[in-house]
Amino acid sequence: MFEIMPYGFRRVSAYNPFREMEEMTRSFWNDGAVNAFRTDISEKDGVYTLEAELPGFKKEDISIDLEKDSLTISAERKEETEDGGETNYIRRERFYGSYTRSFNVRGIDTDAISAEYSDGVLKLTMPRKTPETPAARRLEIN
């Protein structure tokens, strides 16, 4: 039954207490995989594109909030059981819970941000603010 474990988790060498300590630390902190999701941000012709990987989420489970100069992307995955009971897992690598990332959007025209979600990727298109040029005026000489 334990043969279905990924190759990276098999032990093939002799006992090494330092490796055991490192693996214990890694499993405790979980390499940040639970609380974050991966994003790519690119810029072309004054428009930023943010692509966030959110595989397995439904569109309804994702929320995007703007508050002052901060854009927050949140997604929540809930555990669902088909028979209503608990499942006895041998190994579990998929996580359930909430995932959140915040981004500074100072310099972005927040009224023109658009979002789409397809194939597990959330794509935000965010145009830069156009710099305000002062109005021309004539100064009086005293």
Side-chain angles (χ1 to χ4, degrees), residues 27 30 33-35 57 77-79 92-99:
S27 68
N30 202 26
V34 175
N35 298 325
F57 285 95
R77 181 176 290 153
K78 297 177 183 171
E79 182 177 9
R92 190 166 191 182
E93 293 183 355
R94 296 184 300 157
F95 297 100
Y96 297 89
S98 60
Y99 305 76

Side-chain angles (χ1 to χ4, degrees), residues 112-127:
I113 294 176
S114 63
E116 60 184 67
Y117 182 67
S118 176
D119 297 329
V121 177
L122 175 69
K123 182 177 180 182
L124 298 177
T125 305
M126 306 178 294

Side-chain angles (χ1 to χ4, degrees), residues 93-109:
E93 293 183 355
R94 296 184 300 157
F95 297 100
Y96 297 89
S98 60
Y99 305 76
T100 303
R101 296 251 343 237
S102 294
F103 302 90
N104 184 342
V105 290
R106 192 176 314 131
I108 300 291
D109 182 5

Side-chain angles (χ1 to χ4, degrees), residues 46-104:
V47 176
Y48 292 104
T49 302
L50 183 145
E51 294 179 319
E53 289 183 349
L54 295 165
F57 285 95
K58 297 176 187 167
K59 191 178 186 179
E60 300 81 35
D61 296 336
I62 302 169
S63 63
I64 304 167
D65 299 309
L66 279 166
E67 185 177 334
K68 297 183 182 177
D69 290 335
S70 180
L71 178 129
T72 303
I73 301 171
S74 304
E76 185 174 4
R77 181 176 290 153
K78 297 177 183 171
E79 182 177 9
E80 298 175 6
T81 56
E82 294 178 9
D83 58 358
E86 291 187 24
T87 304
N88 188 17
Y89 290 99
I90 295 171
R91 179 167 180 87
R92 190 166 191 182
E93 293 183 355
R94 296 184 300 157
F95 297 100
Y96 297 89
S98 60
Y99 305 76
T100 303
R101 296 251 343 237
S102 294
F103 302 90
N104 184 342

Side-chain angles (χ1 to χ4, degrees), residues 31-44:
D31 292 337
V34 175
N35 298 325
F37 45 86
R38 297 171 194 249
T39 60
D40 292 333
I41 302 173
S42 60
E43 188 266 335
K44 183 177 182 181

